[in-house]
Amino acid sequence: MAEFTMELNDEQKEVRDWLHGFAADVIRPAAAEWDEREETPWPVIQEAAKVGIYSLDFYAQQYFDATGLGIPMAMEELFWGDAGIALSIVGTGLAAVGVLANGTEEQIGTWIPQMYGEPNDVKVAAFCSSEPDAGSDVASMRTRAVYDEAKDEWVINGTKTWVTNGGIANVHVVVASVDPGLGSKGHASFIVPPGTPGLTQGQKFKKHGIRASHTAEVVLDGVRVPGSCLLGGKEKLDERLARAREKARKGGDRVKNAAMATFEASRPAVGAMAVGTARAAYEVALDYARTREQFGRPIIDNQGVAFQLADMRTQIDAARLLVWRASWMAVNGRPFEAAEGSMSKLFASETAKKVTAQAIQILGGNGYTREYPVERMHRDAAIYTIFEGTSEIQRLVISRTISGMPIR
């Protein structure tokens, strides 16, 4: 088990500096254009693929970093560049992790390469979980998968929403209910191969922020996939369902808490994204306050501005520490006895919203225009308190964990 540390090692520093350079030289110069266009920044994704950032190998190296700091470090630097473009670069990773976590070796080897494509012909993948009536309440999922034993096929029907890369993805990973009576324990994940009939893109959302990231509905109407597309295989699914039914008979609340723990472990990565956006806005505000003069002196000489910057820096550093602690705990198998994963996501996301708003205030009228990036950063920051569980859900998880109440 790696010791918890607040100091990156030499190799991690090299990766951090490499990512920072890519974010500064490639992502930032393109940010305003793709935000205005509200389109997937394919040229930037291709550049990321050419240098090795947009690849399974890169994310696997960070994911298996024994210190737990690889993923949060990478997320912070890329999202420091721009949240919308960064989400377009890392969005495929969510689907890839779903296959890595649940798939067989054959499924991993078959489908993950197709998610990324080649540097000269990049592809993206989509992870389809949320639904119009089942966002935070994952147990209410209505998308159904029914096994057709005669043909060894699964038939999937339902609608997914808020899907990053939904409809434009080469490979879709779809979570569906195979046993509604078990709630979230009755879910399974399926690969929907490219060009499968019945899968279509629904509404593409015109968003407040992260506009360079494609977000849409995915409609599944009689989608048929081979039995081999059930992640993990049917034998493993049947065994898991049997165990879940037995546990549900003995104590349903314990089953639900175990399901919530899975989501808890992924939330620090979102916190790291929020830290990156907050840090970017703080740095713009700091530079502006040092150079902008009013009444014959830089505005940072005014206590009202200087104290705001002091609070911003303090909150960003505190958020990063919470993210790093939770990330280290997750990779080392430490239980989140006080919902530390939710704590990190809650504090970092709320910090991003607050810090970006303060940055606009420090820039004054300039901060309210699109001539300066803090306006875009403030719009982007709003998403962190919503996706991967709203701030209200994080508070619910934390409060029920520390009180010992069941998480429903």
Side-chain angles (χ1 to χ4, degrees), residues 387-401:
F387 70 4
E388 197 73 19
T390 64
S391 288
E392 290 73 23
I393 288 295
Q394 309 309 319
R395 292 185 174 98
L396 178 66
V397 172
I398 296 165
S399 63
R400 291 191 171 179
T401 300

Side-chain angles (χ1 to χ4, degrees), residues 19-254:
L19 290 170
H20 186 81
F22 183 85
D25 297 339
V26 181
I27 294 178
R28 278 209 169 174
E33 175 189 352
W34 291 100
D35 177 73
E36 291 286 347
R37 292 175 62 166
E38 299 190 55
E39 297 174 357
T40 301
W42 292 108
V44 183
I45 299 175
Q46 187 173 46
E47 287 301 312
K50 287 179 178 178
V51 300
I53 294 174
Y54 185 71
S55 70
L56 174 64
D57 287 345
F58 172 72
Y59 288 107
Q61 289 173 11
Q62 305 315 311
Y63 184 81
F64 290 111
D65 182 339
T67 69
L69 303 185
I71 288 294
M73 174 199 64
M75 294 298 173
E76 179 177 338
E77 293 304 327
L78 291 173
F79 280 75
W80 171 89
D82 177 69
I85 292 178
L87 191 56
S88 288
I89 293 173
V90 306
T92 293
L94 187 58
V97 168
V99 176
L100 278 171
N102 301 297
T104 64
E105 289 187 8
E106 183 179 356
Q107 289 170 332
I108 292 169
T110 299
W111 296 111
I112 292 183
Q114 295 187 50
M115 293 180 174
Y116 287 92
E118 301 291 338
N120 292 323
D121 183 24
V122 292
K123 307 292 185 183
V124 294
F127 184 77
C128 311
S129 179
S130 294
E131 298 184 358
D133 296 318
S136 299
D137 185 9
V138 295
S140 298
M141 186 175 293
R142 295 183 179 179
T143 297
R144 298 287 184 262
V146 178
Y147 185 56
D148 183 343
E149 188 171 359
K151 295 184 177 180
D152 186 26
E153 292 180 341
W154 288 89
V155 185
I156 309 173
N157 287 281
T159 299
K160 297 296 183 178
T161 193
W162 311 122
V163 181
T164 299
N165 298 331
I168 67 170
N170 196 46
V171 176
H172 291 76
V173 177
V174 177
V175 182
S177 175
V178 296
D179 188 337
L182 291 175
S184 61
K185 280 293 184 179
H187 296 172
S189 296
F190 300 85
I191 292 286
V192 180
T196 300
L199 185 149
T200 57
Q201 179 182 310
Q203 175 187 4
K204 178 186 175 182
F205 296 104
K206 297 181 71 66
K207 304 187 298 295
H208 176 65
I210 55 169
R211 302 199 304 194
S213 173
H214 175 97
T215 310
E217 289 181 332
V218 171
V219 180
L220 303 115
D221 183 9
V223 170
R224 284 182 169 268
V225 299
S228 60
C229 286
L230 166 64
L231 290 181
K234 193 168 188 305
E235 182 178 348
K236 183 178 178 181
L237 172 65
D238 289 341
E239 292 175 356
R240 178 167 62 82
L241 293 177
R243 290 195 302 270
R245 293 182 187 113
E246 180 63 23
K247 288 182 179 179
R249 283 194 291 270
K250 293 180 178 179
D253 286 337
R254 288 195 295 272

Side-chain angles (χ1 to χ4, degrees), residues 8-17 61-62 73:
L8 299 177
N9 60 40
D10 290 341
E11 183 178 349
Q12 290 169 327
K13 289 177 182 177
E14 287 182 9
V15 173
R16 179 199 61 192
D17 294 344
Q61 289 173 11
Q62 305 315 311
M73 174 199 64

Side-chain angles (χ1 to χ4, degrees), residues 253-387:
D253 286 337
R254 288 195 295 272
V255 172
K256 291 170 184 174
N257 279 329
M260 289 300 296
T262 301
F263 293 98
E264 183 76 356
S266 66
R267 285 170 174 155
V270 180
M273 299 174 187
V275 170
T277 299
R279 188 183 115 212
Y282 159 76
E283 290 176 2
V284 172
L286 178 62
D287 289 343
Y288 186 88
R290 285 170 169 167
T291 58
R292 173 69 169 174
E293 291 191 0
Q294 289 287 286
F295 305 105
R297 61 179 183 175
I299 62 173
I300 199 171
D301 284 354
N302 298 313
Q303 195 175 78
V305 173
F307 279 17
Q308 281 195 78
L309 288 163
D311 287 343
M312 292 158 75
R313 176 60 185 267
T314 300
Q315 290 159 2
I316 292 167
D317 282 9
R320 183 183 297 108
L321 290 175
L322 283 171
V323 167
W324 282 18
R325 179 185 69 168
S327 300
W328 175 83
M329 291 176 68
V331 81
N332 285 287
R334 293 291 184 94
F336 286 158
E337 295 180 351
E340 287 87 351
S342 286
M343 282 185 182
S344 69
K345 197 266 185 184
L346 170 66
F347 190 81
S349 60
E350 294 289 345
T351 293
K353 282 187 66 175
K354 183 175 181 180
V355 165
T356 54
Q358 288 175 302
I360 290 177
Q361 193 68 25
I362 289 172
L363 269 67
N366 286 329
Y368 198 66
T369 71
R370 295 188 184 180
E371 297 299 314
Y372 288 79
V374 292
E375 176 272 340
R376 184 180 68 253
M377 294 169 182
H378 184 52
R379 286 189 285 109
D380 291 342
I383 194 60
Y384 301 128
T385 63
I386 299 172
F387 70 4

